[in-house]
Amino acid sequence: MRHGPDRADRIRAVRLALALLLAALPAAAQEGRRAFEDHCASCHAVDRGAPPGPGPNLAGVIGRVVGGAEGFDYSPVLEAARAAGDRWDAARLGRFLEDPEEMYPGLWMGGNGARDAADRAAIVAFLQSTR
Ligand code: HEC
């Protein structure tokens, strides 16, 4: 005889909810949010549709063409990178953050990336989690 969902069903439902939560918020991305707030958030928004600060909105930047935020006034070097078809992937973003000016000389970005490799990896993971 059954009275609605049994205990095993409830445990399965809780496990599924937890798995979904963990998939949405990997630990690295959490750490990355903190590192992003320390190093980047003064200039960059990460909520979709939020107005840009001094720098472009970075929601969903991984996969986006370089210099590709709608309506943002980029430097000539990023305009040229866009024209050349450069696209942000995790590897390019990691290298960029190591030394932004080296990748794009003449960049207008006042921030100098993130010197610490663990911070960089965490920031990349965090930006990967934004849409
Ligand atoms: C002092 C302000 C400032 C800080 C701090 C800063 N940025 Fe930027 N960022 C900018 C500006 C301005 C641009 C546009 C540069 C240009 O047009 O040359 C930019 C551009 C970028 C781009 C290229 C975006 C695109 O649409 O192609 C990425 C990626 C980026 N920043 C990531 C970061 C990350 C990650 C951090 C933190 C580690 C950071 N920035 C810190 C101001 C800043």
Side-chain angles (χ1 to χ4, degrees), residues 2 7 19 42 49 55 61 73 75-76 79 83 93 98 114 128 130:
R2 293 187 50 150
R7 196 177 146 73
S42 56
V61 68
D73 186 20
S75 60
E79 295 283 1
L93 186 59
E98 198 172 345
Q128 239 162 352
T130 66

Side-chain angles (χ1 to χ4, degrees), residues 39-40 43-44 54 64 67 74-75 78 88 97 107-109 111:
H39 297 287
C40 323
C43 294
H44 290 286
R64 193 166 85 187
Y74 287 98
S75 60
L78 288 193
W88 291 112
L97 294 179
L107 191 74
W108 290 348
M109 178 160 133

Side-chain angles (χ1 to χ4, degrees), residues 26-38 118-119 121-123 126:
Q30 284 285 48
E31 223 169 88
R33 175 180 283 282
R34 251 169 291 156
F36 185 87
E37 274 161 12
D38 288 349
D119 277 351
I123 289 169
F126 167 64

Side-chain angles (χ1 to χ4, degrees), residues 5-131:
D6 64 17
R7 196 177 146 73
D9 283 340
R10 265 178 291 148
I11 289 172
R12 266 194 292 279
V14 169
R15 281 220 186 106
L16 179 63
L18 268 178
L20 291 173
L21 188 68
L22 290 176
L25 297 173
Q30 284 285 48
E31 223 169 88
R33 175 180 283 282
R34 251 169 291 156
F36 185 87
E37 274 161 12
D38 288 349
H39 297 287
C40 323
S42 56
C43 294
H44 290 286
V46 276
D47 293 317
R48 164 85 46 206
N57 187 315
L58 295 180
V61 68
I62 294 193
R64 193 166 85 187
V65 72
V66 172
E70 286 291 319
F72 189 84
D73 186 20
Y74 287 98
S75 60
V77 67
L78 288 193
E79 295 283 1
R82 172 170 54 195
D86 285 7
R87 197 167 277 279
W88 291 112
D89 58 19
R92 185 190 297 276
L93 186 59
R95 272 189 289 122
F96 174 75
L97 294 179
E98 198 172 345
D99 189 349
E101 276 270 343
E102 189 189 18
M103 181 176 284
Y104 292 121
L107 191 74
W108 290 348
M109 178 160 133
N112 56 2
R115 297 206 181 287
D116 183 75
D119 277 351
R120 280 199 302 276
I123 289 169
V124 170
F126 167 64
L127 286 174
Q128 239 162 352
S129 77
T130 66
R131 291 284 174 270

